Amino acid sequence: MSALMQETSTLTDRYQTTVPTSVRKQLGLNKGDKLVYRSDEDGRVYLENAEAAHRDPALGPFLDLLAADMAANPGRLRPLDPDMMAQIRELVGDDDIDLDAPLDPDED
């Protein structure tokens, strides 16, 4: 079992605090990021990067699996043929889709 990290910070008169550097690094926080506070029935409070808290926990391992499979079996990779592209265009219609744009967490 790994050791728990422990850091201390001080609340100001306005109930504000600075997140310690080691915590910011561990959570991958940058200026302007949002935090999520979770508490359990024992009074423990957990701090998370809000962006990471909304991620699908299965997506990362699945993408890792795909990347490993593509690296191990590059001969299986094929470009999409014109028929498949036509089927995709049928599904999305005239919508302009930017595959590099971040997903909106409020959309299904």
Side-chain angles (χ1 to χ4, degrees):
M1 181 173 176
S2 63
L4 293 175
M5 178 182 63
Q6 180 173 323
E7 291 285 351
T8 303
S9 64
T10 303
L11 284 176
T12 68
D13 292 339
R14 294 179 59 194
Y15 296 99
Q16 296 174 334
T17 190
T18 299
V19 178
T21 301
S22 60
V23 175
R24 289 194 312 264
K25 286 181 180 178
Q26 184 173 355
L27 296 177
L29 296 172
N30 295 300
K31 291 179 182 179
D33 284 351
K34 295 190 181 301
L35 302 173
V36 173
Y37 297 86
R38 299 182 195 276
S39 61
D40 64 20
E41 61 278 353
D42 294 327
R44 290 183 196 92
V45 177
Y46 303 90
L47 178 66
E48 296 178 85
N49 179 330
E51 182 179 318
H54 290 96
R55 289 185 192 138
D56 181 341
L59 184 58
F62 176 69
L63 293 176
D64 291 342
L65 175 72
L66 285 178
D69 185 61
M70 290 187 297
N73 303 291
R76 292 183 186 170
L77 297 176
R78 301 187 325 249
L80 293 175
D81 62 54
D83 290 336
M84 180 64 76
M85 288 302 296
Q87 291 175 359
I88 292 170
R89 284 192 184 95
E90 260 183 55
L91 290 172
V92 298
D94 294 330
D95 291 342
D96 185 26
I97 298 174
D98 180 358
L99 296 177
D100 295 320
L103 296 176
D104 183 348
D106 296 328
E107 290 185 8
D108 291 333

